[in-house]
Structures are given as C-alpha cells and as structure tokens.
Amino acid sequence: MSKTKLEQWKIRWKRYVPPILPISFAAAVLTLIVYLTARVQPAFADAVNRWYGGVLRMITAKLTSLLPFSLAEGLLLSSPLLLAVLIAYAVRCARHSMRAGIRYICVLLSVICLLFTLFVPTLGIGSLASPLSERLGFPEEKVSAHQLAETMQWAINEANSLCNDVDFAFGGASVMPFDNYGSMCRDLMIGYERLHRDHPVFWQFSSSVKPVILSEPMSYTHITGIYTFFTGESNLNINFPDYTLPFTAAHELAHQRGFAREKEANFIAFLVCIQSDQPYTRYSGYVNLVEYLSNALYSADRALWEETFYSLDMRIRYEMQAYNDFYEKYRDNTAAQISNAVNDTYLKVQGQTEGTKSYGLVVDLAVSYFYGVVKAEALPPDDAEPAGETAPASEDGAA
C-alpha cells in the first residue's frame, strides 16, 4: 500500500470510526482472553473473580447506592422510550449521511463491547471459579436420603428453637422486626463480616439491596430478586412473604460478591443469615434451608420425609401454608413460563448445566456442611472427624 493510499485510509478511518470503538473492542478482546484462560485455570478464575471483579462490583455498587431507587429498574421502565429514541436517532443519522449512520452503529457496537467487558469479571467468571465447598473446606459428595433426613432434622430443630422469638400474624405468616429494608441489610452485613472473618474467600464491602417498586408485577415472573451486573445493584422483590426476604436479600448480595452459581449463592445466604444476632434473620436462613431439604428428601424417600417433616413446629408449617396461599395467585401464567425459560437457558450457557434446578442443589452443600462442620464440632476432640469428611452415601435413595 502506497503512502498516499495509507493516508487516505487513515483519513476515512478517523471520519467513519469514533475512537471509542477500537478502545472498547480491544478491551473486549482482552476480556475474552481472560475468560478463555479462566475456563482452563480455576485458580486464575478465582483471582480475577475476587480481586479485579471484586473491585468493579464494589465500585458499581457504591456509585448506584447514591441513588434512592434501583437504576436497573429505572432503565427497564424507560426502555420503551429509550428504544424509541435510539430508533429515531438511527433514522436521523441514516438520512443525514452514510458517515453519520456508520458512526452511530460503531457507538452501539462499542456499548455492546463495554457491557461484555464488564459482565465477564463481575458475574460471568464467577461460574468458572473453584467450587465454594473446596474453598470452605468441605467438599461435596453424593448424599443419601438418610443424610438428607439427618441434615433436615438438624435444620428443623434450629428453626423450631427460634419460633418463640418470632412474631407471627393471624393466618400463620411471620412478621419481620426490622423498621425498614436498610435495617435488614445492616443486619446482613454483620453476617457477611463474620463470614468473611472466618472464610476470607470474597471481597467484602458494605452494601444494601434495592427494593423493587414494581414488586407485585415482578411476582408473576416468579423472580424474588435479581443482581444486575451493569449497575452493581442487588434488587429485591418485596412482595414476597417476610420470612423469605432476609434469605433472598443475602442471596443477591452473594452474587454481588462474585458467587455466580445459584446453589452457592443460596448457601452463602444461609451461612450469612445464621451468623446474625437477630433471631428473625437466623429463622429466615433455617426455614428456607428446610424447604430446600424438604423438597429433595420428598423426592428421595417419601416415608423418611414424612417422619422428618412432621417434627416441624406447627407455627412454621402454618407459615409454609401461608406462603402457598400467597403463591397460588402467581403460580401459573405466561410471564412465569417465559421468565423460567430465559433464566434456565442463561444458567445453562453459564455452565450451570442443571439450569433453574441448580437453586435446589444447595442441599448438597448443606449436607456437606452439616457432616463436615456441625457434627464435627459437636464431637469430642479425640473422636472428631476431619472437616470435609462425610458419612459414606448409600446407593439406595440417593438424591
């Protein structure tokens, strides 16, 4: 290529391509290299997820915390208007000149590249990190129905012991003691600080959840909470019964700290809740875990489930019935089917092959925790098994 042609090419490039495109494209390519490396190097994924991703998650969370509302919800509500503006501006650029149209397309491509560059370290790479059970020191193993029942009985006993410290309204539903959602989140932050002190496997910082204004319509999608990586916000559907809210909030805050796998976010939520000094937060953690264990044990061994479940305090059973009554209104609808299909596909693309069923796999972590930590701590020092060791699973009734 002659010098004249090269100069002409450079002039056309500057006229048609805004500087943001090559910068954002280069960042996206570098991010793709990081992602591909993380797929084959879990230790590298851990480092990127904790440090680089942790800093980005903290920055975005702190910036959006300055807003008294959910920026993600605001963008969603204004999306029809934003889409109309984008289309109108695209038409205007196309009519003005080919150069204006090409530059407009370049800007849109730049935005897509930047979103990808933000998604990978803040959320996407979390699915490639080392399993949480290994980082906490109690590896998962195949569990039997008997192990599920024993773990469920332990969770039931803990939940039952908290009932006298919980206020229940007429009809069975419990009532949160918190003045507002900020108070609830401050209590959860105590749990996160304590968990981080014992297991420093994530970047800890103070944050809160954003109550969703349109929680009632959101309930039809069966979404109880959502973490939006591009705003760094943990959003909470506040329409659901009170006892689910601390657990769900802790779950979304776990995503905000890099735990992308749903079962791991559920387990972190449980550990955070039971670290609290507030009985209601601990109650939320244990009751939600009982529900997951109950579903798994019911599928594995119906007789053993009945024997275990009916040791549950009647107040908690009324609580669960009140939840079923509440949920009936939202159970079957098109919005839920679409939402479930989208979420299932997203989770599978991210490597969570079980899709939406991955939420319930928290029971594997719970059983490992019970046998590797709870029972081990209860044994006399001379008889204690090493942390992470579980009883051998039987081949019959495995869940």
Side-chain angles (χ1 to χ4, degrees):
M1 182 181 294
S2 66
K3 184 176 181 180
T4 303
K5 288 185 177 181
L6 180 60
E7 290 174 350
Q8 290 176 348
W9 184 87
K10 288 180 178 179
I11 292 173
R12 289 195 184 100
W13 176 270
K14 290 180 179 180
R15 291 187 68 240
Y16 285 92
V17 180
I20 186 65
L21 180 59
I23 295 173
S24 60
F25 182 76
V29 170
L30 180 60
T31 301
L32 179 61
I33 294 173
V34 169
Y35 178 77
L36 294 176
T37 305
R39 288 187 66 89
V40 295
Q41 294 289 340
F44 178 72
D46 290 343
V48 173
N49 186 48
R50 180 177 180 183
W51 301 109
Y52 177 46
V55 171
L56 289 178
R57 287 188 294 268
M58 181 184 68
I59 291 174
T60 52
K62 292 294 186 181
L63 288 175
T64 53
S65 68
L66 301 175
L67 299 174
F69 59 89
S70 169
L71 176 59
E73 184 179 17
L75 292 173
L76 178 63
L77 292 176
S78 61
S79 58
L81 176 61
L82 291 174
L83 182 61
V85 170
L86 289 174
I87 294 175
Y89 192 71
V91 171
R92 179 184 175 185
C93 289
R95 287 179 176 177
H96 184 268
S97 67
M98 183 176 69
R99 173 177 174 270
I102 292 176
R103 289 182 69 88
Y104 180 73
I105 293 173
C106 288
V107 171
L108 293 181
L109 291 175
S110 299
V111 172
I112 294 173
C113 288
L114 291 174
L115 285 174
F116 174 75
T117 302
L118 184 61
F119 169 76
V120 169
T122 57
L123 187 60
I125 211 166
S127 298
L128 306 177
S130 302
L132 176 63
S133 57
E134 292 182 7
R135 287 184 279 168
L136 295 183
F138 44 94
E140 299 172 73
E141 295 182 10
K142 187 177 181 181
V143 301
S144 67
H146 173 76
Q147 290 174 308
L148 278 172
E150 191 172 4
T151 305
M152 181 175 167
Q153 188 63 66
W154 160 70
I156 284 176
N157 292 342
E158 295 292 339
N160 287 349
S161 69
L162 292 165
C163 283
N164 290 334
D165 297 316
V166 173
D167 292 327
F168 293 89
F170 179 78
S174 61
V175 181
M176 283 201 304
F178 304 108
D179 297 331
N180 50 55
Y181 297 108
S183 298
M184 180 188 75
C185 287
R186 283 191 291 273
D187 184 56
L188 292 175
M189 283 303 105
I190 294 174
Y192 267 105
E193 290 288 350
R194 290 173 176 173
L195 182 62
H196 180 259
R197 178 190 61 204
D198 297 333
H199 303 284
V201 295
F202 54 88
W203 184 286
Q204 171 55 5
F205 55 92
S206 180
S207 62
S208 184
V209 294
K210 295 285 188 74
V212 173
I213 297 174
L214 298 181
S215 288
E216 165 71 15
M218 186 178 179
S219 299
Y220 285 97
T221 68
H222 297 178
I223 296 175
T224 57
I226 185 169
Y227 172 67
T228 50
F229 73 94
F230 53 92
T231 66
E233 294 170 310
S234 296
N235 302 280
L236 180 66
N237 182 338
I238 57 176
N239 186 49
F240 274 73
D242 281 6
Y243 83 96
T244 69
L245 298 184
F247 183 87
T248 302
H251 174 106
E252 300 308 328
L253 291 168
H255 284 322
Q256 195 182 57
R257 281 150 183 77
F259 297 98
R261 299 184 184 100
E262 298 300 339
K263 68 174 183 179
E264 294 183 352
N266 268 343
F267 188 62
I268 287 291
F270 165 72
L271 291 179
V272 166
C273 285
I274 66 173
Q275 294 281 337
S276 173
D277 294 327
Q278 170 56 251
Y280 193 81
T281 303
R282 298 201 303 277
Y283 172 84
S284 175
Y286 282 114
V287 172
N288 277 275
L289 182 63
V290 166
E291 291 179 326
Y292 281 113
L293 290 165
S294 177
N295 291 334
L297 183 57
Y298 185 91
S299 299
D301 191 321
R302 176 71 179 273
L304 196 54
W305 172 83
E306 290 183 351
E307 178 183 335
T308 308
F309 181 80
Y310 289 107
S311 65
L312 196 61
D313 191 291
M314 284 299 300
R315 288 168 288 187
I316 302 178
R317 282 193 259 169
Y318 286 138
E319 171 99 88
M320 292 178 176
Q321 183 57 52
Y323 177 89
N324 288 334
D325 295 341
F326 156 84
Y327 192 69
E328 192 61 37
K329 175 182 177 181
Y330 311 100
R331 190 176 301 278
D332 298 315
N333 61 81
T334 303
Q337 293 173 0
I338 295 174
S339 172
N340 184 73
V342 171
N343 193 27
D344 186 69
T345 302
Y346 165 77
L347 293 175
K348 288 178 178 177
V349 168
Q350 287 301 304
Q352 300 183 58
T353 55
E354 302 85 0
T356 52
K357 294 181 180 178
S358 62
Y359 291 88
L361 295 182
V362 65
V363 299
D364 297 339
L365 288 165
V367 171
S368 296
Y369 174 76
F370 174 67
Y371 281 94
V373 178
V374 178
K375 289 197 72 173
E377 290 179 351
L379 291 173
D382 292 339
D383 298 328
E385 299 176 358
E389 189 171 311
T390 62
S394 66
E395 295 184 359
D396 298 329

